[in-house]
Amino acid sequence: FTIVRGLLRFLGENGYTVNAALHNCLFSGSAPEERLVDVLSDEQIRKITDFRSSHQEPIELRDTAIVMLGLKMGFRASDVLNLKFSNINWSKREISIVMNKTRTQIRLPMPVDVGNSIYAYICNGRPHSNDRYIFIRTKAPYGKLTGKICTKALYRMLPERRDIKGGSNKKRHIGMC
């Protein structure tokens, strides 16, 4: 609608339409939407912490790093899967990305436990590959992960969440996703 509205505005302003205000006929937005936001319980966060300290297999290290990025830094799955080595400044302990959904550039401090989880995965879990993406497939051909891998990582840590659509602990927020 934004593009069509812009075209109609241009046509109206330049005299190509009978009605110069034709662009006002299109809806300019939608009504506020109320959604339930999933919030992990303290017990679930403790389980993630326990998983992190007791699991050292390659996929487990990858799962831990993925979940920690979401849990501690608030990254969406698309931003986690698009994370490249060039996005991390280890000496400044920060991550700089262009968020996939909003196309907004952000630079965030990287908590020590997140950095340690990523480092453990890179050193002890990630297959040897020159791929620029941090999170890659565990079997050849190596390459960027896709799909629901972030959700599956969380399910491997918290299997009880598989059967609960949207999670078990919900809080009402308006206009948030």
Side-chain angles (χ1 to χ4, degrees), residues 139-163:
K139 296 178 183 170
Y142 304 118
K144 179 181 161 188
L145 293 171
T146 58
K148 300 276 185 184
I149 197 70
C150 295
T151 302
K152 290 177 182 178
L154 185 62
Y155 288 168
R156 283 190 284 269
M157 290 184 187
L158 303 173
E160 69 272 12
R161 293 183 60 84
R162 284 182 207 267
D163 301 327

PDB file of all heavy atoms in Angstrom, residues 139-163:
ATOM      1  N   LYS A 139      27.017 -30.966   8.914  1.00  0.00           N
ATOM      2  CA  LYS A 139      27.494 -31.922   7.914  1.00  0.00           C
ATOM      3  C   LYS A 139      27.699 -31.218   6.586  1.00  0.00           C
ATOM      4  O   LYS A 139      27.008 -30.251   6.268  1.00  0.00           O
ATOM      5  CB  LYS A 139      26.486 -33.062   7.747  1.00  0.00           C
ATOM      6  CG  LYS A 139      26.317 -33.887   9.012  1.00  0.00           C
ATOM      7  CD  LYS A 139      25.291 -34.965   8.838  1.00  0.00           C
ATOM      8  CE  LYS A 139      25.123 -35.715  10.158  1.00  0.00           C
ATOM      9  NZ  LYS A 139      24.001 -36.619  10.139  1.00  0.00           N
ATOM     10  N   ALA A 140      28.651 -31.743   5.806  1.00  0.00           N
ATOM     11  CA  ALA A 140      28.936 -31.168   4.487  1.00  0.00           C
ATOM     12  C   ALA A 140      27.718 -31.359   3.581  1.00  0.00           C
ATOM     13  O   ALA A 140      27.018 -32.361   3.714  1.00  0.00           O
ATOM     14  CB  ALA A 140      30.166 -31.820   3.901  1.00  0.00           C
ATOM     15  N   PRO A 141      27.431 -30.466   2.695  1.00  0.00           N
ATOM     16  CA  PRO A 141      28.160 -29.215   2.479  1.00  0.00           C
ATOM     17  C   PRO A 141      27.804 -28.203   3.565  1.00  0.00           C
ATOM     18  O   PRO A 141      26.633 -27.988   3.870  1.00  0.00           O
ATOM     19  CB  PRO A 141      27.666 -28.740   1.110  1.00  0.00           C
ATOM     20  CG  PRO A 141      26.277 -29.296   1.002  1.00  0.00           C
ATOM     21  CD  PRO A 141      26.301 -30.609   1.756  1.00  0.00           C
ATOM     22  N   TYR A 142      28.831 -27.621   4.158  1.00  0.00           N
ATOM     23  CA  TYR A 142      28.626 -26.653   5.226  1.00  0.00           C
ATOM     24  C   TYR A 142      28.056 -25.373   4.628  1.00  0.00           C
ATOM     25  O   TYR A 142      28.348 -25.019   3.496  1.00  0.00           O
ATOM     26  CB  TYR A 142      29.939 -26.365   5.949  1.00  0.00           C
ATOM     27  CG  TYR A 142      30.585 -27.612   6.481  1.00  0.00           C
ATOM     28  CD1 TYR A 142      31.833 -28.015   6.038  1.00  0.00           C
ATOM     29  CD2 TYR A 142      29.929 -28.406   7.403  1.00  0.00           C
ATOM     30  CE1 TYR A 142      32.422 -29.180   6.503  1.00  0.00           C
ATOM     31  CE2 TYR A 142      30.499 -29.576   7.883  1.00  0.00           C
ATOM     32  CZ  TYR A 142      31.739 -29.951   7.427  1.00  0.00           C
ATOM     33  OH  TYR A 142      32.296 -31.105   7.891  1.00  0.00           O
ATOM     34  N   GLY A 143      27.260 -24.703   5.396  1.00  0.00           N
ATOM     35  CA  GLY A 143      26.672 -23.453   4.939  1.00  0.00           C
ATOM     36  C   GLY A 143      25.719 -22.926   5.981  1.00  0.00           C
ATOM     37  O   GLY A 143      25.436 -23.582   7.000  1.00  0.00           O
ATOM     38  N   LYS A 144      25.227 -21.756   5.726  1.00  0.00           N
ATOM     39  CA  LYS A 144      24.336 -21.053   6.643  1.00  0.00           C
ATOM     40  C   LYS A 144      23.106 -21.897   6.988  1.00  0.00           C
ATOM     41  O   LYS A 144      22.535 -22.559   6.126  1.00  0.00           O
ATOM     42  CB  LYS A 144      23.909 -19.746   5.971  1.00  0.00           C
ATOM     43  CG  LYS A 144      22.960 -18.910   6.763  1.00  0.00           C
ATOM     44  CD  LYS A 144      22.601 -17.671   5.959  1.00  0.00           C
ATOM     45  CE  LYS A 144      21.330 -17.073   6.489  1.00  0.00           C
ATOM     46  NZ  LYS A 144      20.840 -16.009   5.638  1.00  0.00           N
ATOM     47  N   LEU A 145      22.729 -21.848   8.251  1.00  0.00           N
ATOM     48  CA  LEU A 145      21.538 -22.551   8.706  1.00  0.00           C
ATOM     49  C   LEU A 145      20.284 -21.784   8.281  1.00  0.00           C
ATOM     50  O   LEU A 145      20.311 -20.561   8.133  1.00  0.00           O
ATOM     51  CB  LEU A 145      21.543 -22.678  10.233  1.00  0.00           C
ATOM     52  CG  LEU A 145      22.623 -23.569  10.818  1.00  0.00           C
ATOM     53  CD1 LEU A 145      22.650 -23.436  12.332  1.00  0.00           C
ATOM     54  CD2 LEU A 145      22.391 -25.010  10.428  1.00  0.00           C
ATOM     55  N   THR A 146      19.207 -22.519   8.109  1.00  0.00           N
ATOM     56  CA  THR A 146      17.937 -21.897   7.746  1.00  0.00           C
ATOM     57  C   THR A 146      16.814 -22.550   8.538  1.00  0.00           C
ATOM     58  O   THR A 146      17.043 -23.487   9.300  1.00  0.00           O
ATOM     59  CB  THR A 146      17.647 -22.078   6.245  1.00  0.00           C
ATOM     60  OG1 THR A 146      17.628 -23.475   5.958  1.00  0.00           O
ATOM     61  CG2 THR A 146      18.678 -21.376   5.382  1.00  0.00           C
ATOM     62  N   GLY A 147      15.642 -22.057   8.345  1.00  0.00           N
ATOM     63  CA  GLY A 147      14.458 -22.684   8.912  1.00  0.00           C
ATOM     64  C   GLY A 147      14.279 -22.454  10.394  1.00  0.00           C
ATOM     65  O   GLY A 147      14.645 -21.416  10.931  1.00  0.00           O
ATOM     66  N   LYS A 148      13.737 -23.445  11.039  1.00  0.00           N
ATOM     67  CA  LYS A 148      13.336 -23.355  12.443  1.00  0.00           C
ATOM     68  C   LYS A 148      14.419 -23.841  13.394  1.00  0.00           C
ATOM     69  O   LYS A 148      14.117 -24.320  14.487  1.00  0.00           O
ATOM     70  CB  LYS A 148      12.068 -24.181  12.654  1.00  0.00           C
ATOM     71  CG  LYS A 148      10.900 -23.751  11.826  1.00  0.00           C
ATOM     72  CD  LYS A 148      10.200 -22.631  12.499  1.00  0.00           C
ATOM     73  CE  LYS A 148       8.936 -22.260  11.754  1.00  0.00           C
ATOM     74  NZ  LYS A 148       8.297 -21.125  12.329  1.00  0.00           N
ATOM     75  N   ILE A 149      15.679 -23.712  13.022  1.00  0.00           N
ATOM     76  CA  ILE A 149      16.774 -24.247  13.838  1.00  0.00           C
ATOM     77  C   ILE A 149      16.825 -23.597  15.218  1.00  0.00           C
ATOM     78  O   ILE A 149      17.163 -24.251  16.201  1.00  0.00           O
ATOM     79  CB  ILE A 149      18.132 -24.150  13.105  1.00  0.00           C
ATOM     80  CG1 ILE A 149      19.156 -25.070  13.767  1.00  0.00           C
ATOM     81  CG2 ILE A 149      18.632 -22.725  13.051  1.00  0.00           C
ATOM     82  CD1 ILE A 149      18.897 -26.512  13.562  1.00  0.00           C
ATOM     83  N   CYS A 150      16.475 -22.324  15.313  1.00  0.00           N
ATOM     84  CA  CYS A 150      16.511 -21.643  16.621  1.00  0.00           C
ATOM     85  C   CYS A 150      15.434 -22.202  17.550  1.00  0.00           C
ATOM     86  O   CYS A 150      15.689 -22.429  18.734  1.00  0.00           O
ATOM     87  CB  CYS A 150      16.348 -20.137  16.441  1.00  0.00           C
ATOM     88  SG  CYS A 150      17.714 -19.378  15.543  1.00  0.00           S
ATOM     89  N   THR A 151      14.253 -22.442  16.999  1.00  0.00           N
ATOM     90  CA  THR A 151      13.178 -23.032  17.797  1.00  0.00           C
ATOM     91  C   THR A 151      13.554 -24.449  18.217  1.00  0.00           C
ATOM     92  O   THR A 151      13.362 -24.837  19.369  1.00  0.00           O
ATOM     93  CB  THR A 151      11.871 -23.062  16.990  1.00  0.00           C
ATOM     94  OG1 THR A 151      11.552 -21.721  16.595  1.00  0.00           O
ATOM     95  CG2 THR A 151      10.721 -23.627  17.803  1.00  0.00           C
ATOM     96  N   LYS A 152      14.130 -25.203  17.304  1.00  0.00           N
ATOM     97  CA  LYS A 152      14.548 -26.574  17.619  1.00  0.00           C
ATOM     98  C   LYS A 152      15.634 -26.581  18.695  1.00  0.00           C
ATOM     99  O   LYS A 152      15.655 -27.466  19.549  1.00  0.00           O
ATOM    100  CB  LYS A 152      15.036 -27.281  16.363  1.00  0.00           C
ATOM    101  CG  LYS A 152      13.914 -27.581  15.390  1.00  0.00           C
ATOM    102  CD  LYS A 152      14.448 -28.215  14.120  1.00  0.00           C
ATOM    103  CE  LYS A 152      13.327 -28.464  13.131  1.00  0.00           C
ATOM    104  NZ  LYS A 152      13.822 -29.026  11.871  1.00  0.00           N
ATOM    105  N   ALA A 153      16.531 -25.590  18.659  1.00  0.00           N
ATOM    106  CA  ALA A 153      17.570 -25.497  19.691  1.00  0.00           C
ATOM    107  C   ALA A 153      16.933 -25.289  21.062  1.00  0.00           C
ATOM    108  O   ALA A 153      17.320 -25.937  22.039  1.00  0.00           O
ATOM    109  CB  ALA A 153      18.532 -24.350  19.368  1.00  0.00           C
ATOM    110  N   LEU A 154      15.947 -24.408  21.127  1.00  0.00           N
ATOM    111  CA  LEU A 154      15.266 -24.161  22.401  1.00  0.00           C
ATOM    112  C   LEU A 154      14.521 -25.414  22.854  1.00  0.00           C
ATOM    113  O   LEU A 154      14.541 -25.766  24.034  1.00  0.00           O
ATOM    114  CB  LEU A 154      14.313 -22.970  22.279  1.00  0.00           C
ATOM    115  CG  LEU A 154      13.640 -22.539  23.571  1.00  0.00           C
ATOM    116  CD1 LEU A 154      14.667 -22.089  24.615  1.00  0.00           C
ATOM    117  CD2 LEU A 154      12.642 -21.427  23.311  1.00  0.00           C
ATOM    118  N   TYR A 155      13.880 -26.125  21.927  1.00  0.00           N
ATOM    119  CA  TYR A 155      13.163 -27.357  22.272  1.00  0.00           C
ATOM    120  C   TYR A 155      14.108 -28.433  22.800  1.00  0.00           C
ATOM    121  O   TYR A 155      13.729 -29.220  23.657  1.00  0.00           O
ATOM    122  CB  TYR A 155      12.414 -27.911  21.063  1.00  0.00           C
ATOM    123  CG  TYR A 155      11.192 -27.119  20.650  1.00  0.00           C
ATOM    124  CD1 TYR A 155      10.579 -27.368  19.438  1.00  0.00           C
ATOM    125  CD2 TYR A 155      10.651 -26.125  21.454  1.00  0.00           C
ATOM    126  CE1 TYR A 155       9.464 -26.665  19.038  1.00  0.00           C
ATOM    127  CE2 TYR A 155       9.543 -25.406  21.065  1.00  0.00           C
ATOM    128  CZ  TYR A 155       8.945 -25.678  19.859  1.00  0.00           C
ATOM    129  OH  TYR A 155       7.842 -24.979  19.457  1.00  0.00           O
ATOM    130  N   ARG A 156      15.340 -28.483  22.276  1.00  0.00           N
ATOM    131  CA  ARG A 156      16.280 -29.482  22.785  1.00  0.00           C
ATOM    132  C   ARG A 156      16.686 -29.161  24.219  1.00  0.00           C
ATOM    133  O   ARG A 156      17.012 -30.052  24.986  1.00  0.00           O
ATOM    134  CB  ARG A 156      17.497 -29.588  21.866  1.00  0.00           C
ATOM    135  CG  ARG A 156      17.199 -30.373  20.591  1.00  0.00           C
ATOM    136  CD  ARG A 156      18.447 -30.691  19.791  1.00  0.00           C
ATOM    137  NE  ARG A 156      18.962 -29.563  19.055  1.00  0.00           N
ATOM    138  CZ  ARG A 156      18.626 -29.249  17.794  1.00  0.00           C
ATOM    139  NH1 ARG A 156      17.743 -29.989  17.156  1.00  0.00           N
ATOM    140  NH2 ARG A 156      19.173 -28.211  17.205  1.00  0.00           N
ATOM    141  N   MET A 157      16.676 -27.893  24.569  1.00  0.00           N
ATOM    142  CA  MET A 157      17.002 -27.501  25.947  1.00  0.00           C
ATOM    143  C   MET A 157      15.792 -27.591  26.863  1.00  0.00           C
ATOM    144  O   MET A 157      15.925 -27.940  28.033  1.00  0.00           O
ATOM    145  CB  MET A 157      17.537 -26.070  25.974  1.00  0.00           C
ATOM    146  CG  MET A 157      18.876 -25.922  25.368  1.00  0.00           C
ATOM    147  SD  MET A 157      19.397 -24.211  25.580  1.00  0.00           S
ATOM    148  CE  MET A 157      20.882 -24.237  24.628  1.00  0.00           C
ATOM    149  N   LEU A 158      14.642 -27.228  26.325  1.00  0.00           N
ATOM    150  CA  LEU A 158      13.396 -27.222  27.099  1.00  0.00           C
ATOM    151  C   LEU A 158      12.352 -28.052  26.358  1.00  0.00           C
ATOM    152  O   LEU A 158      11.432 -27.509  25.735  1.00  0.00           O
ATOM    153  CB  LEU A 158      12.895 -25.781  27.285  1.00  0.00           C
ATOM    154  CG  LEU A 158      13.843 -24.796  27.958  1.00  0.00           C
ATOM    155  CD1 LEU A 158      13.282 -23.385  27.907  1.00  0.00           C
ATOM    156  CD2 LEU A 158      14.112 -25.209  29.397  1.00  0.00           C
ATOM    157  N   PRO A 159      12.458 -29.378  26.393  1.00  0.00           N
ATOM    158  CA  PRO A 159      11.556 -30.231  25.607  1.00  0.00           C
ATOM    159  C   PRO A 159      10.081 -30.038  25.947  1.00  0.00           C
ATOM    160  O   PRO A 159       9.225 -30.269  25.101  1.00  0.00           O
ATOM    161  CB  PRO A 159      12.016 -31.656  25.935  1.00  0.00           C
ATOM    162  CG  PRO A 159      13.033 -31.549  26.997  1.00  0.00           C
ATOM    163  CD  PRO A 159      13.428 -30.134  27.151  1.00  0.00           C
ATOM    164  N   GLU A 160       9.783 -29.587  27.143  1.00  0.00           N
ATOM    165  CA  GLU A 160       8.379 -29.387  27.526  1.00  0.00           C
ATOM    166  C   GLU A 160       7.694 -28.302  26.699  1.00  0.00           C
ATOM    167  O   GLU A 160       6.471 -28.233  26.630  1.00  0.00           O
ATOM    168  CB  GLU A 160       8.276 -29.053  29.025  1.00  0.00           C
ATOM    169  CG  GLU A 160       8.820 -27.684  29.431  1.00  0.00           C
ATOM    170  CD  GLU A 160      10.309 -27.648  29.756  1.00  0.00           C
ATOM    171  OE1 GLU A 160      11.027 -28.629  29.462  1.00  0.00           O
ATOM    172  OE2 GLU A 160      10.751 -26.638  30.312  1.00  0.00           O
ATOM    173  N   ARG A 161       8.450 -27.467  26.027  1.00  0.00           N
ATOM    174  CA  ARG A 161       7.885 -26.373  25.236  1.00  0.00           C
ATOM    175  C   ARG A 161       7.348 -26.828  23.884  1.00  0.00           C
ATOM    176  O   ARG A 161       6.605 -26.097  23.241  1.00  0.00           O
ATOM    177  CB  ARG A 161       8.922 -25.271  25.045  1.00  0.00           C
ATOM    178  CG  ARG A 161       9.260 -24.575  26.362  1.00  0.00           C
ATOM    179  CD  ARG A 161      10.229 -23.455  26.161  1.00  0.00           C
ATOM    180  NE  ARG A 161       9.712 -22.437  25.277  1.00  0.00           N
ATOM    181  CZ  ARG A 161       8.917 -21.425  25.638  1.00  0.00           C
ATOM    182  NH1 ARG A 161       8.549 -21.308  26.886  1.00  0.00           N
ATOM    183  NH2 ARG A 161       8.512 -20.547  24.768  1.00  0.00           N
ATOM    184  N   ARG A 162       7.698 -28.039  23.452  1.00  0.00           N
ATOM    185  CA  ARG A 162       7.225 -28.537  22.154  1.00  0.00           C
ATOM    186  C   ARG A 162       5.706 -28.572  22.076  1.00  0.00           C
ATOM    187  O   ARG A 162       5.133 -28.329  21.028  1.00  0.00           O
ATOM    188  CB  ARG A 162       7.729 -29.959  21.911  1.00  0.00           C
ATOM    189  CG  ARG A 162       9.140 -30.059  21.523  1.00  0.00           C
ATOM    190  CD  ARG A 162       9.469 -31.535  21.261  1.00  0.00           C
ATOM    191  NE  ARG A 162      10.858 -31.780  21.484  1.00  0.00           N
ATOM    192  CZ  ARG A 162      11.783 -31.724  20.536  1.00  0.00           C
ATOM    193  NH1 ARG A 162      11.426 -31.448  19.318  1.00  0.00           N
ATOM    194  NH2 ARG A 162      13.037 -31.945  20.820  1.00  0.00           N
ATOM    195  N   ASP A 163       5.080 -28.952  23.158  1.00  0.00           N
ATOM    196  CA  ASP A 163       3.631 -29.157  23.170  1.00  0.00           C
ATOM    197  C   ASP A 163       2.843 -27.908  23.520  1.00  0.00           C
ATOM    198  O   ASP A 163       1.618 -27.965  23.585  1.00  0.00           O
ATOM    199  CB  ASP A 163       3.279 -30.267  24.168  1.00  0.00           C
ATOM    200  CG  ASP A 163       3.968 -31.569  23.822  1.00  0.00           C
ATOM    201  OD1 ASP A 163       4.162 -31.834  22.620  1.00  0.00           O
ATOM    202  OD2 ASP A 163       4.331 -32.312  24.753  1.00  0.00           O
TER     203      ASP A 163
END
